[in-house]
Amino acid sequence: MSASGVGAPPTVRVWVDDQPVDVEPDGPVVEAILRKDERFPHICYHPALGPIQTCDTCIAEVDGKLVRACAVPAAEGMQVRTQTVRAQEARMEAMQRILVHHELYCTVCDNNNGNCIVHNTTMHMKINHQKYPFQPKPYQQDNSHPFYRYDPDQCILCGRCVEACQNLQVSEVLSIDWNRDRPRVIWDNDVPINESSCVSCGHCVTVCPCNALMEKSMLGEAGYMTGLDPALWEAMIHLTKAVEPGYGPIFTVSEVEAQMRQSRIRQTKTVCTYCGVGCSFDVWTKGGKILKVEPRMEAPANQISTCVKGKFGWEFVNSPERLLHPLIRKGDRFVQVSWDEALDYTATRLREIRDNYGPDAIGVISSSKCTNEENYLMQKFARAVIGTNNIDNCSRYCQTPATEGLRRTMGYGGDTGSIQDIAHADLVIIIGANPAESHPVLSTRIRRAHKHFGQKLIVADLRRNDMAARADLWLHPRAGTDFIWLAAVTKYIIDQGWHNEAFIREKVNRFDEFRAWLSPYTLEFAEQQTGIARKDLIRCAEMIHEATKVCICWAMGVTQHVMGSETSTLICNLLLITGNVGRPGTGAYPLRGHNNVQGAGDFGCAPVYLPGYERVDDPNVRAKYERAWGVKLPETPGMDNHRMVEEIHQGNLKAMYIQGEEMALVDSNSNHVQAAFEKLEFMVVQDVFFSKTAQFADVVLPACPSLEKEGTFTNTERRIQRLYRVLEPLGEAKPDWWITQELARRLGAHWNYTHPGEILEEACGLAELLKGVKWDRLEGYQSLQWPVQEDGTDTPLLYTEGFPFPDGKARLHVPAWRPPVLEPNEEYDLHLNNGRMLEHFHEGNLTYRVPGIREKVPMTYVEVSPELAKKRGIETGALVRLVSPYGAVKVRAVVTDRVQGNELYLPMNSPRDHEAVNYLTSSYHDDITHTPAYKEISVRMEVLEAKGPSPMKRGNFRLGHPRALPGVMVEQKWRRTDYQPLTDEAAPSAEQAKRLKPRAPVPT
Amino acid sequence: MSLPRKGVPDLAKAITTIEWEQPSAQEQTVRRLAKVADEAADAADALTAFIRWIQLMHEKGWLQAMIAILEQGEDIMKILVRQANEPEYATGLKNLIGLTALLGQVDVEMLRSVAVAAREAKTRVTSGQIQPVAGIFPLLAALRDPAVGTGLAWMLEVLKSLGQAVAQPDPTHAPAPSLVTSAT
């Protein structure tokens, strides 16, 4: 139950074979039929895609006419008859036409797992003989891609893959060439898959209703007889065809075999370990092997959508490089030891340091990759066992300024709504973010809405990234000046009288003070400071004014500056003065980077906050936790991770316990951070791999990745979801919560958690924000968005009833301007931007250990603009050294128009530690939150080799050429001379059918 | 345990050398056997019965045969499938499957009625209750019997259905549409 949910939507009543069925109005009538008979044929129709109209298998009589049920909107009183002779004959003919394109060999097919739509439909329609024999197509299988293959001989040309690619993922790679004698699905302009612009999201494979598109990891693995020698396999198919008098017996055998597969194939739900979108899906495993990732419509954040990492990026779990045993540093090497030895030693050293120097000499870093339960235990360990508030997590490096901006102005430090709200906005503004590569599934909802539903898009970014290339307006400000143009646009809106006076009057404080502060931020000033043309600033203001629902998404391009908190505050102010908060389709969306960076903060891993953002220096809060935990708790806020590094150099911090964080490479100014680690008297690192950070440790503890444990994650929507154990832990690796508990016990704590559910119940029993979160309320695909009331009512949309301040009103906060640091000068003349790329996550510790991903992007590279490349005499492949006041890295260059002028871009991932971008960044930081100003750095570029082998290898989608098309373009099929219509009247046009497409998939 | 403390310059640096434990072959065997022993202890009764069963299989030579089949599995399958693909065998298998399917279509009740009717008629003929029909007039007289008329109508319908079935083309050999006009 949701606090902000409206009443049940209206319905219409249609009559299906004389039975009443209530459905949403204007949805396709096939949905009504499926409610009565879930086996009703509908091969190409998918609720996430809407009508495609290629298969004709859903033909029914509607009000006396034979129509495709997927393409007709349900209307009150509609009479639908599915069992008339005409309707049945039409559907049968349609299915017979499909089987021309698909060789049925179900028993030896890896897709025969009970969910093959072609198999199930053929069987349920009781087709015993093929009217038209199967005809092989004159095309080879395409096995070029590392993760999936396409078999044209099995392709029924339903177009689901095309529709998914063009209009759900909107990467616009796939199409069907209907002009050939034998049509086929093609990638780009008909190139091998791995030479195309395919981003490997996996949508096409997921929606394929048969085995034409299959994950390679499934081939030869899923069935009892699918791994046969190919010659034998072919002979068996031939024999099956020769001896079958009809399909009946064959289907019986294949059904039995499919049932048998359930004995050895497990399907376990998990939540993605990568970005903050929080995709959930089933992972299919056979023993310790991962067969595939199967997303489902029930998934609340993503439904059937995935990206390359979520769909294909899990082989790292079985990597031979996994840490499997505890290690202790002895001399110049690490030596494998037992768990008891490692834990005893760690506890002894921590106790010694605490006793000698005090609890605040120890710093604890929790992990945004670990579960909520594990984060809760880490902060409990720091506070209740060590006795310090020196606990932090990596949100410090990214979205803490946004949290600060939200908390100052609106009250809660989380996204104000859900991904569905972003999909339904009239206007989306993306500032300093690249969601197409950093939050891929979230960005698909924006792309779909923009392509087909009239949503407008403004992007403010230095790079011409994917979303900027699609935008209706692309603003390219000078680095570090978002603050100025935002203030100018806000002032212009107010000057024009376009602000929402009623909303401000009823729900917002300090308008006059803020308005007065805005006075210097004229359009002229902004144009001069930012480089954005005045007309573009005006256009931006106009677009905001014209839209009734505006969402603003932002990320590191805003927050990783010395003014990150202030710029985030301005974004919130803009939304408030235009009334774009607290309504569906509106709001503030700082995009959380990691799968559980939201949860790490929610569950208290911050120096100032206990779980639920209750302050450590509030005596009432402290008293509550002291009662619950049975210990006295420290009173003063502790050090954040950035400050810990300084305190190490000052000699005040002597030890660190780091869980799942590559601090040596992801904190800024890596040389400075690593020098600090060398000064520690004791360091324990708990991780999945032997990271760069672990190289400095005294003790290394092997931890389990997400697939090997239970728990919950919280995504960028504030949505808490459960993950289930998919695989048994490898070697001696343990879940992080077990490790922390064992350490705590050795330090005198009486912890006796036997399961993460117990930890969650304790944590949520104490935090007001999470009071109603219960383990069993998160069963399966259920989820809760905090705040959650005690009866389980959650809050998908914040601020519908006011703001959590004493008077219920939001507060416009007057920000403070500070100029960016380290701007280009004579010695360091180029601005260095940095961030993520699609294929690799963060620094790449996980994704570089996925062979297929590594094959596609084997190395990092710096992006150089064509104009700069020409000036410096370099080409793609050049080897350059980038030098900043803080360090140097050597990388190959790619010349591209994604960057302009003297702006470079270096991704933060690399397979080689010494290429890490943070060897170049400084220790300057946001004044309020201490978030490093990663984006404020200038370098000089020394050319070592003017040309060389391109670092962009075959398989990199950026080398491809997508083709934006409306979709399958089924009208081309209907115009073919060999197509005989089966319906009574001309099909609805593409425009008419489009109205039946969902704006965004809705979880079932 | 006394271990070196960080802060001593030689030991403060990042190090990458790891000495993994390399258990000897014997130690690995001992560990694996310990794991097996744990499982065996939990299933002692079932294991005892299983061992008895295996012993019997071995004494009768069946175990060796099964081992051979599994070892040669794929090659044996190739032989069988190759042989089965020969026309005479494939047709035989097809007919066998077809006959099996046919059994499902047989109306046993109807057959029983026919058999009962035939038996009763035979009984009446052999007991002399029925005289042979000799000539056209006794035949016409017999046709006036409603039961005879019904039986005759039934037989004619059977002949009609048979004639229609024989005349219909084989559905598995429907002419394939041409490539140009293939159903898309």
Side-chain angles (χ1 to χ4, degrees):
Chain A
M1 182 168 54
S2 299
S4 57
V6 295
T11 58
V12 295
R13 175 159 291 183
V14 305
W15 295 84
V16 179
D17 297 325
D18 299 321
Q19 300 294 317
V21 180
D22 294 329
V23 287
E24 288 76 37
D26 299 330
V29 78
V30 70
E31 289 286 349
I33 299 173
L34 290 170
R35 285 201 195 174
K36 182 177 164 288
D37 176 11
E38 62 179 9
R39 291 180 166 190
F40 183 76
H42 59 286
I43 288 190
C44 67
Y45 175 76
H46 191 293
L49 304 174
I52 302 173
Q53 302 192 78
T54 50
C55 76
D56 293 345
T57 58
C58 67
I59 289 176
E61 272 194 25
V62 176
D63 292 337
K65 290 208 166 73
L66 271 185
V67 294
R68 295 180 189 88
C70 64
V72 174
E76 182 69 35
M78 190 172 259
Q79 295 287 335
V80 180
R81 299 206 175 279
T82 66
Q83 299 304 310
T84 64
V85 170
R86 289 205 310 151
Q88 291 187 66
E89 283 181 353
R91 292 197 298 271
M92 182 61 73
E93 173 65 18
M95 195 61 202
Q96 292 286 1
R97 293 178 184 183
I98 281 174
L99 292 177
V100 172
H101 301 286
H102 182 87
E103 187 167 27
L104 283 171
Y105 49 73
C106 308
T107 308
V108 294
C109 173
D110 285 300
N111 203 47
N112 179 41
N113 301 297
N115 63 344
C116 176
I117 295 175
V118 170
H119 167 98
N120 292 347
T121 306
T122 309
M123 203 172 64
H124 295 143
M125 291 180 76
K126 298 186 168 52
I127 293 177
N128 221 15
H129 303 288
Q130 274 190 240
K131 182 177 172 186
Y132 311 112
F134 163 70
Q135 296 190 2
K137 300 185 190 70
Y139 311 117
Q140 299 291 318
Q141 281 190 21
D142 188 331
N143 284 289
S144 61
H145 195 279
F147 294 126
Y148 70 93
R149 73 105 174 89
Y150 173 62
D151 186 353
D153 268 349
Q154 297 303 102
C155 179
I156 61 170
L157 300 168
C158 66
R160 275 188 169 196
C161 54
V162 173
E163 183 64 24
C165 188
Q166 288 285 345
N167 294 325
L168 182 55
Q169 164 67 18
V170 201
S171 286
E172 299 164 322
V173 181
L174 267 61
S175 59
I176 292 181
D177 185 353
W178 292 111
N179 296 320
R180 304 183 180 198
D181 277 354
R182 300 299 306 276
R184 74 159 269 171
V185 176
I186 58 174
W187 277 252
D188 286 356
N189 202 13
D190 193 16
V191 298
I193 300 173
N194 213 34
E195 291 173 22
S196 74
S197 53
C198 171
V199 297
S200 313
C201 62
H203 277 84
C204 57
V205 187
T206 295
V207 300
C208 181
C210 61
N211 67 332
L213 285 160
M214 284 288 292
E215 298 88 347
K216 280 186 169 177
S217 48
M218 284 281 282
L219 298 176
E221 293 286 347
Y224 284 91
M225 289 187 276
T226 57
L228 293 172
D229 172 78
L232 177 59
W233 184 80
E234 293 269 0
M236 283 189 68
I237 291 174
H238 184 267
L239 175 65
T240 307
K241 298 293 176 211
V243 305
E244 63 187 17
Y247 285 141
I250 302 302
F251 281 139
T252 304
V253 172
S254 62
E255 285 288 285
V256 167
E257 201 266 344
Q259 187 65 34
M260 285 168 62
R261 294 183 188 191
Q262 292 186 30
S263 288
R264 63 180 197 171
I265 297 181
R266 280 184 63 220
Q267 300 175 21
T268 315
K269 182 237 178 181
T270 192
V271 182
C272 191
T273 195
Y274 286 113
C275 81
V277 173
C279 297
S280 53
F281 31 70
D282 285 354
V283 182
W284 291 29
T285 52
K286 186 175 84 173
K289 257 192 204 170
I290 298 169
L291 295 187
K292 70 167 174 173
V293 162
E294 184 79 355
R296 295 167 55 151
M297 281 299 289
E298 295 97 310
N302 59 302
Q303 297 80 54
I304 59 159
S305 296
T306 47
C307 77
V308 59
K309 300 180 290 293
K311 179 75 177 176
F312 298 118
W314 296 95
E315 284 170 73
F316 74 86
V317 176
N318 289 321
S319 165
E321 295 177 20
R322 280 275 306 274
L323 277 173
L324 300 181
H325 308 284
L327 301 170
I328 288 183
R329 175 190 286 251
K330 291 186 182 175
D332 65 349
R333 63 199 56 221
F334 286 99
V335 171
Q336 179 180 333
V337 296
S338 68
W339 268 109
D340 280 335
E341 189 178 341
L343 291 168
D344 287 345
Y345 174 59
T346 302
T348 300
R349 290 293 291 126
L350 287 176
R351 190 184 300 112
E352 282 174 0
I353 289 171
R354 184 185 60 187
D355 293 346
N356 289 341
Y357 302 106
D360 288 337
I362 299 173
V364 179
I365 300 293
S366 190
S367 176
S368 57
K369 290 250 146 300
C370 288
T371 63
N372 290 325
E373 296 75 15
E374 289 163 343
N375 276 285
Y376 174 78
L377 280 196
M378 279 298 267
Q379 61 86 40
K380 187 177 178 183
F381 177 85
R383 292 175 164 128
V385 179
I386 299 295
T388 181
N389 280 316
N390 294 345
I391 169 82
D392 206 1
N393 74 88
C394 77
S395 73
R396 182 76 41 201
Y397 300 142
C398 54
Q399 284 290 16
T400 309
T403 306
E404 177 64 24
L406 285 163
R407 197 171 295 122
R408 282 170 171 176
T409 54
M410 301 185 194
Y412 289 123
D415 288 18
T416 61
S418 306
I419 294 170
Q420 288 283 341
D421 292 292
I422 298 173
H424 285 87
D426 295 332
L427 168 67
V428 170
I429 306 175
I430 300 174
I431 309 174
N434 184 10
E437 298 199 53
S438 303
H439 301 85
V441 167
L442 184 149
S443 78
T444 68
R445 303 317 188 235
I446 301 173
R447 293 204 294 274
R448 179 179 174 86
H450 182 254
K451 182 175 180 181
H452 285 298
F453 295 95
Q455 186 181 78
K456 298 293 180 206
L457 178 62
I458 297 174
V459 172
D461 204 281
L462 303 189
R463 288 169 83 218
R464 190 173 179 275
N465 56 42
D466 181 280
M467 301 306 278
R470 295 170 191 268
D472 299 288
L473 178 64
W474 172 35
L475 304 175
H476 179 182
R478 186 168 62 85
T481 61
D482 286 313
F483 182 104
I484 297 176
W485 73 260
L486 278 163
V489 166
T490 306
K491 175 181 177 343
Y492 185 83
I493 287 173
I494 294 174
D495 290 346
Q496 298 302 309
W498 293 343
H499 53 293
N500 191 323
E501 290 184 13
F503 184 87
I504 294 169
R505 188 170 52 247
E506 290 161 25
K507 300 191 179 187
V508 183
N509 287 325
R510 303 183 188 166
F511 176 71
D512 292 334
E513 186 187 339
F514 177 59
R515 182 180 197 164
W517 173 85
L518 281 168
S519 56
Y521 293 94
T522 61
L523 294 178
E524 292 70 30
F525 175 69
E527 184 177 42
Q528 185 208 14
Q529 294 294 314
T530 68
I532 299 175
R534 175 195 163 93
K535 66 172 176 54
D536 288 338
L537 295 169
I538 292 173
R539 185 67 198 124
C540 178
E542 285 171 345
M543 289 173 74
I544 295 172
H545 171 59
E546 287 158 10
T548 52
K549 295 177 286 185
V550 179
C551 290
I552 301 181
C553 303
W554 73 100
M556 312 298 94
V558 168
T559 59
Q560 289 176 343
H561 286 270
V562 296
M563 282 172 301
S565 299
E566 310 306 312
T567 309
S568 299
T569 302
L570 268 175
I571 292 173
C572 297
N573 285 350
L574 174 57
L575 289 165
L576 284 169
I577 63 116
T578 54
N580 281 299
V581 180
R583 289 184 293 122
T586 69
Y589 299 89
L591 302 176
R592 301 289 171 173
H594 285 262
N595 56 306
N596 202 32
V597 66
Q598 179 71 53
D602 296 346
F603 283 79
C605 288
V608 177
Y609 296 110
L610 282 150
Y613 302 100
E614 298 169 21
R615 290 187 67 96
V616 300
D617 49 8
D618 181 331
N620 294 326
V621 168
R622 225 173 32 249
K624 174 174 71 171
Y625 279 91
E626 286 173 350
R627 275 194 304 276
W629 293 350
V631 293
K632 193 93 178 69
L633 293 176
E635 295 178 15
T636 49
M639 304 172 199
D640 57 56
N641 45 24
H642 205 59
R643 191 169 141 223
M644 284 184 202
V645 171
E646 302 310 317
E647 294 296 329
I648 296 172
H649 281 295
Q650 300 295 326
N652 299 322
L653 202 74
K654 302 292 189 185
M656 287 194 78
Y657 174 18
I658 301 177
Q659 176 198 80
E661 186 59 58
E662 179 66 298
M663 208 168 150
L665 295 179
V666 302
D667 201 345
S668 64
N669 201 345
S670 293
N671 286 317
H672 186 64
V673 172
Q674 292 172 21
F677 286 161
E678 292 174 4
K679 294 179 180 174
L680 285 171
E681 289 196 16
F682 183 72
M683 183 167 163
V684 55
V685 169
Q686 188 168 305
D687 213 306
V688 175
F689 290 104
F690 188 66
S691 62
K692 180 68 182 176
T693 306
Q695 293 175 15
F696 295 91
D698 292 279
V699 178
V700 180
L701 303 175
C704 290
S706 61
L707 292 194
E708 293 175 0
K709 57 191 177 185
E710 308 253 330
T712 59
F713 290 151
T714 308
N715 77 347
T716 194
E717 299 172 297
R718 299 168 282 109
R719 185 187 300 278
I720 305 169
Q721 304 180 88
R722 257 180 80 174
L723 46 140
Y724 294 77
R725 176 179 281 183
V726 175
L727 298 167
E728 289 303 306
L730 270 191
E732 291 190 279
K734 299 284 188 197
D736 293 83
W737 66 267
W738 181 93
I739 302 172
T740 309
Q741 172 163 265
E742 287 297 310
L743 260 180
R745 281 179 174 166
R746 283 164 169 80
L747 285 162
H750 301 293
W751 294 5
N752 292 298
Y753 304 106
T754 60
H755 187 271
E758 295 169 5
I759 305 171
L760 185 75
E761 300 283 332
E762 176 184 311
C764 297
L766 291 165
E768 288 304 313
L769 205 64
L770 308 166
K771 257 293 185 318
V773 178
K774 305 276 184 225
W775 189 251
D776 57 4
R777 284 183 178 154
L778 300 169
E779 192 78 34
Y781 280 88
Q782 296 176 85
S783 63
L784 292 167
Q785 290 170 272
W786 61 254
V788 183
Q789 297 171 36
E790 210 150 350
D791 65 357
T793 304
D794 73 340
T795 319
L797 185 62
L798 295 174
Y799 313 128
T800 55
E801 306 296 328
F803 297 85
F805 292 118
D807 63 354
K809 287 186 167 186
R811 303 163 175 174
L812 294 171
H813 184 99
V814 170
W817 160 256
R818 192 191 147 182
V821 298
L822 299 173
E823 295 201 275
N825 56 32
E826 206 174 301
E827 186 177 3
Y828 303 103
D829 57 328
L830 306 173
H831 176 261
L832 180 67
N833 192 3
N834 47 76
R836 288 189 183 171
M837 67 165 38
L838 171 69
E839 296 88 338
H840 287 291
F841 186 75
H842 219 236
E843 77 292 316
N845 279 356
L846 305 182
T847 47
Y848 274 108
R849 290 174 167 108
V850 179
I853 291 180
R854 190 169 185 145
E855 176 192 315
K856 284 184 160 287
V857 183
M859 63 186 76
T860 195
Y861 46 82
V862 61
E863 290 184 348
V864 179
S865 69
E867 50 272 32
L868 181 63
K870 191 172 175 192
K871 265 192 230 167
R872 304 295 173 96
I874 62 171
E875 300 173 359
T876 291
L879 184 63
V880 298
R881 182 186 292 120
L882 302 177
V883 183
S884 82
Y886 305 95
V889 300
K890 208 163 61 174
V891 289
R892 296 239 171 234
V894 165
V895 179
T896 169
D897 63 359
R898 281 191 292 277
V899 290
Q900 281 76 42
N902 285 355
E903 292 166 353
L904 307 174
Y905 180 79
L906 182 62
M908 61 185 295
N909 62 76
S910 170
R912 293 190 280 253
D913 295 342
H914 58 266
E915 291 172 342
V917 67
N918 284 315
Y919 286 114
L920 300 168
T921 54
S922 74
S923 296
Y924 285 102
H925 50 75
D926 177 81
D927 286 336
I928 309 296
T929 63
H930 298 167
T931 297
Y934 294 98
K935 303 294 196 273
E936 293 181 14
I937 187 65
S938 296
V939 298
R940 67 168 181 271
M941 182 168 70
E942 298 170 355
V943 178
L944 304 175
E945 295 169 15
K947 36 175 116 170
S950 171
M952 286 178 72
K953 301 301 178 194
R954 176 178 177 267
N956 190 318
F957 76 88
R958 297 163 189 83
L959 296 170
H961 303 283
R963 297 161 70 220
L965 296 168
V968 172
M969 297 191 296
V970 67
E971 299 85 5
Q972 292 183 9
K973 171 183 173 176
W974 297 334
R975 285 197 290 268
R976 286 175 64 96
T977 54
D978 57 357
Y979 177 74
Q980 303 299 323
L982 294 172
T983 51
D984 278 344
E985 56 189 25
S989 68
E991 273 308 305
Q992 288 170 309
K994 199 168 84 176
R995 281 185 223 122
L996 293 171
K997 290 189 192 298
R999 180 155 175 149
V1002 175
T1004 53
Chain B
M1 172 205 322
S2 169
L3 282 166
R5 293 178 63 170
K6 289 279 290 289
V8 177
D10 285 348
L11 301 173
K13 302 292 181 193
I15 56 175
T16 56
T17 307
I18 301 175
E19 255 181 38
W20 295 110
E21 221 176 73
Q22 300 294 340
S24 65
Q26 194 178 6
E27 281 171 335
Q28 289 187 43
T29 304
V30 167
R31 284 185 195 168
R32 280 196 228 112
L33 282 174
K35 211 171 161 184
V36 171
D38 284 341
E39 294 283 342
D42 289 339
D45 289 341
L47 206 53
T48 307
F50 180 69
I51 291 171
R52 174 72 187 133
W53 179 72
I54 285 288
Q55 181 62 28
L56 285 168
M57 295 270 288
H58 176 67
E59 285 166 6
K60 293 185 188 310
W62 292 2
L63 191 59
Q64 287 73 12
M66 280 177 66
I67 290 170
I69 288 173
L70 286 169
E71 278 178 351
Q72 304 303 320
E74 206 157 281
D75 291 333
I76 290 176
M77 281 277 279
K78 281 180 185 166
I79 294 167
L80 291 173
V81 171
R82 190 172 59 236
Q83 200 63 5
N85 263 317
E86 295 296 326
E88 60 270 29
Y89 294 113
T91 307
L93 277 169
K94 181 173 180 175
N95 289 342
L96 184 63
I97 296 171
L99 281 169
T100 309
L102 182 61
L103 278 175
Q105 292 174 20
V106 167
D107 184 342
V108 172
E109 287 308 315
M110 187 270 297
L111 277 181
R112 182 180 297 129
S113 305
V114 170
V116 165
R119 192 172 63 242
E120 286 176 355
K122 179 171 181 274
T123 304
R124 287 202 290 272
V125 167
T126 53
S127 65
Q129 289 177 55
I130 299 171
Q131 294 303 312
V133 174
I136 190 79
F137 292 110
L139 181 62
L140 288 172
L143 284 175
R144 283 202 287 275
D145 183 340
V148 171
T150 303
L152 197 56
W154 179 84
M155 285 172 64
L156 287 170
E157 278 303 311
V158 169
L159 285 170
K160 182 179 173 185
S161 296
L162 197 58
Q164 284 172 344
V166 166
Q168 222 172 28
D170 185 346
T172 59
H173 294 100
S178 73
L179 280 180
V180 172
T181 59
S182 68
T184 47

